[in-house]
Amino acid sequence: MKPSHVVALGGAGAVGFALLLMLLTHGAGFPLLAPSGSVGISERDLMVRTVYLMLIVVIPVIILAIFIAWHYREGNTKAAYTPNWEHSKMEEFIWWSIPFEIVLVLSAVTWSGTHELDPMKALVSTQPPLTVQVVALPWKWLFIYPEQGVASVNELALPVNRPVEFRITADAPMNSFWIPALGGQMYAMTGMTTMLHLMAPTAGNFTGRSANYSGAEFAQMSFTARAMDQSDFDAWVAQAKQAEALSSGTYSSLRVPSDAGPVRYYGSVDMTFADILDLYMPMRMDMTMPMGSSMMHHP
Amino acid sequence: MFGILTSAAFIHGPIETGGQLVVVLGGVSVLLLLTFTKRWKWLFREWLMSLDAKKIGIMYLVLAGLMLVRGGIDALMMRGQQAIAVGAGSGYLSPDHFAQVFSAHGVIMIFFVAMTFMFGLINCILPLQIGARDVAFPLMNSISFWLTATGAILLNLSLVVGEFAATGWLAYPPLSELAYSPGVGVDYYIWALQIAGIGTLLAAVNFIVTIVKERAPGMTLMRMPIFVWTVLASMLLVLFAFPILTGTLAMLSLDRAIGMHFFTTTLGGNAMMYVNLIWAWGHPEVYILILPAFGIFSELVPVFSQKRLFGYTSMVVATMVITILSFGVWVHHFFTMGAGANVNAFFGIATMAIAIPTGVKVFNWLFTMFRGRIRYTTPMLWFMGFLFTFILGGMTGVLMSVPPVDFQLHNSLFLVAHFHNMVIGGVLFGYFAGLAYWFPKIFGFGLHEALGKLAFWLWIVGFAVAFIPLYILGLMGMTRRLDFVDAASGYHPLLVVALVGACIIALAVSVQFFHFLVSLRERKHRKDSSGDYWGGRTLEWSTSSPAPLYNFAHIPHVHGRDAFWRMKEKGESGREGPYEDIMLPKNSAIGLFIAGFAFLFGFGMVWHMWWMLPVSLLGIFVTILVRSFATETEYVVPAAVVARTEAHHHPV
Ligand code: HEM
Ligand SMILES: [Cu+2]
């Protein structure tokens, strides 16, 4: 096959493949590219900005590579040929400085973006944050609302436009708490608390799930995050209040490894988040956490 | 006597039984074949006991090929499961079995395909490239190989007896602790890696010493081929990184075997420590693999561009900068573990910094091709394939090194696509390029070019069809390691496409094996009688193909870079008489014995057969003791035999 045929075939194949992929993903959701949450949107913007910055270098390099690969093929005897040329201070200086500069710009973007989107940082809002305590269980999610005194399994209710402060732990192997449409994830680990702030500007149902493999029925560890108006949220709380209590007895059956099971509600919370953390802290130690870390023992 | 091993360890579901049958029948048929063809003695004498680096290299390559098939079957099983499993419980694999498959796949591909393939090429080529007769410690070389093979055997034995870890390839606690993984799977994981890991560490010591001490006269550091530089860098990384792995796994095994609490949450242990340690090894590990691939490209791009390598010094500096930086970026694997913004930003920026020397390498390759005369042979095609896939993988890597972006992409299929992009498009393509390039040197005959190119195109297309959907699925929010998806998620169609891609790759691998067979059958007229199959520049091409036992009749004298190129320009061959006697190491079964005892040790640890531990340790000790009294470990190849061999290969 002639090289030009290879190129034509490759081009046609790539276009066909792209069309096929577009067809197959038609109507599917892209929570990372079109997120709903304010944090997710900022993270998406950062992602897009990073890609553009890289393309400034990558596109010329690809064009250069294609040109060199084609022009200096053996068959093209018209092309220049300098078999012993091996060194050029100027050119090498340029090769080092191009990636250096782009990385410098990216570093600045990274530094500011990382601080701005620090999951620990409270979100700016006129409303005070709502605290939700998240417990990863095998293989289900428990959400405790300490201010409201209710809890639920595999259903997360959130008032629209109000920042939410998640405090996350696990009573299970390590999991990761992730609602792609709202924003990035955070690990859930036994005996300690990690923190994540998210906010849903509009009402809607979003899929959340564990992103870190945690055992056999890991694939079932998904839940629905339901962003709703304040009045709907109040109604949701009132309805949850009707349910049984989250006693240490109900909790012990909940923590037994099992399928996700149905959505459940608890009208009061006797087994608190602190109690769950304490399961792993028989000798409470106040370890000073390593520099820059945010792990807290108790809320 | 049998510890916790009972007959229950042999009994599984139907699919596992299939796996058992394949392993057992495969093993038995090899044994029978050897017996009927009366090849046992030959096998031991010529291969298993050989201390010749070239033969040990070929054994590494064979092991890597076998493991590629095993890991590939695992991959097809996973792709098959995800392509049919819509809704809980709808696949053909149980969730636990699915987890064992993805864990085994990762471990096999990294340790027993990539690492093993790498050591195969290094053994076959590195001594030749530096003009040495052998490695510094030939016996230790054999021990390294056999310990690696023992790790592979132990891992595959878990298919037949017991089970494998269901934890993922890095076995994060607490999932890998006794509380959540009470079976023997994690123990198989630990001991397969411990034993293979020690083999790897010994091999690194061996090659570092070989490079430092055994170079031909005149080959200063700055005259070494770039492949030698990258191997040196990679082996230094092994030297510093593998002890971390060994220590980490040792602590995990203490947790599991005698109830310690290094990584449990209770009693002061901390799983985050494990996550840090395993990545302090794990990130350097990916550079251990990629650096020699960079080295291979730096060898073949000049040869096929018929031009000197552009920017040698830059290449060396870039390699060393990567080596150092790769120890300072491990946190990018867990930005989401709760570290503060300063820590995350620091490690994110350190990660990006690696893109600088990597970018320099890309430019230097391109400017080696610039104003060259590029011959698109199979090795060069692998390089071109690498170049474009690697640019994509590098971009996605840099993207994920921005912590807030990684919060979204971490643990998604986007991440899975990134590292396959690097490990397939970078590491594997690099080694395939190396194999195609050095095949005539290793085996004495060239490969069927058209079939080689066909395999390449199938790989490239299969790679795109298998992994581009994964990038898209990641952006759709799909996480890794799911044994089923929900119909409403919209993931299913792309998973079917990915399965098609995996099948294309399987076809590519079959074509590769077929093309070895075809070339073997036609070896007479594909013979590399000059020893310089491609018009090479470095010393390995100055000796015959395959290289004689003693590599070089005369140790070459090196006067500059591209030593063989210079010799050719001056019209020297370096092979003329008179010849001298040459001392070579005798065969030895010590490696087999040590590996055998190591196997018993590992098996005893897995199944709690405690009596095996002192027995095997004593066995290793006695083996070493006996060997230390051996005085006649070398034999002489008389000058007359050298003369005859040279005359045979190079009739004047
Ligand atoms: C420009 C160079 C590279 C950059 C910037 C980069 C960046 C990253 C980052 C940030 C992650 C973590 C992502 C996450 O877990 O969310 C990652 C994961 C990974 N990368 Fe790269 N990478 C680069 C090159 C490579 C190379 C050369 C290899 C292999 C030879 C490689 C193999 C991997 C693997 C195996 C993983 C993760 C495996 C796992 O989580 O199981 N990367 N890379
Ligand atoms: Cu890394």
Side-chain angles (χ1 to χ4, degrees), chain B residues 118-341:
Chain B
M118 173 185 87
F119 277 118
L121 292 174
I122 295 176
N123 265 292
C124 287
I125 297 305
L126 186 118
L128 292 171
Q129 271 203 335
I130 59 172
R133 291 243 158 89
D134 208 329
V135 295
F137 309 115
L139 176 64
M140 194 160 91
N141 202 14
S142 155
I143 296 174
S144 292
F145 169 74
W146 284 111
L147 289 177
T148 305
T150 303
I153 291 170
L154 206 53
L155 195 165
N156 285 286
L157 190 66
S158 71
L159 264 183
V160 184
V161 192
E163 61 189 356
F164 193 65
T167 53
W169 76 285
L170 288 174
Y172 276 13
L175 183 59
S176 57
E177 294 278 4
L178 222 39
Y180 295 107
S181 298
V184 294
V186 176
D187 302 299
Y188 267 118
Y189 167 87
I190 290 174
W191 292 102
L193 292 197
Q194 289 293 49
I195 293 171
I198 291 173
T200 304
L201 188 63
L202 293 180
V205 172
N206 209 339
F207 285 108
I208 291 170
V209 178
T210 304
I211 295 172
V212 172
K213 301 287 288 182
E214 305 284 318
R215 275 169 290 134
M219 184 176 279
T220 57
L221 287 178
M222 291 307 275
R223 287 177 182 170
M224 298 196 306
I226 295 287
F227 180 65
V228 179
W229 268 109
T230 55
V231 171
L232 179 63
S234 163
M235 295 299 112
L236 285 170
L237 285 174
V238 171
L239 192 68
F240 289 106
F242 266 74
I244 309 178
L245 177 68
T246 307
T248 311
L249 293 180
M251 286 187 267
L252 182 62
S253 64
L254 288 173
D255 276 10
R256 291 179 58 86
I258 57 174
M260 289 195 161
H261 293 276
F262 288 106
F263 307 125
T264 63
T265 317
T266 43
L267 295 171
N270 196 327
M272 293 194 296
M273 192 57 137
Y274 183 95
V275 176
N276 272 279
L277 286 170
I278 203 83
W279 282 115
W281 159 80
H283 186 81
E285 166 66 18
V286 306
Y287 280 90
I288 290 169
L289 296 174
I290 197 79
L291 284 174
F294 289 167
I296 291 167
F297 293 131
S298 305
E299 295 301 313
L300 61 87
V301 171
V303 169
F304 295 114
S305 304
Q306 312 192 59
K307 183 163 165 284
R308 279 204 190 136
L309 179 72
F310 181 83
Y312 177 96
T313 314
S314 275
M315 280 294 197
V316 173
V317 173
T319 303
M320 287 302 156
V321 170
I322 293 177
T323 306
I324 294 164
L325 284 181
S326 68
F327 266 104
V329 301
W330 77 96
V331 171
H332 67 216
H333 292 278
F334 45 91
F335 285 141
T336 56
M337 205 159 73

Side-chain angles (χ1 to χ4, degrees), chain B residues 332-352:
Chain B
H332 67 216
H333 292 278
F334 45 91
F335 285 141
T336 56
M337 205 159 73
N342 287 336
V343 170
N344 278 350
F346 173 87
F347 281 96
I349 292 171
T351 306
M352 293 172 177

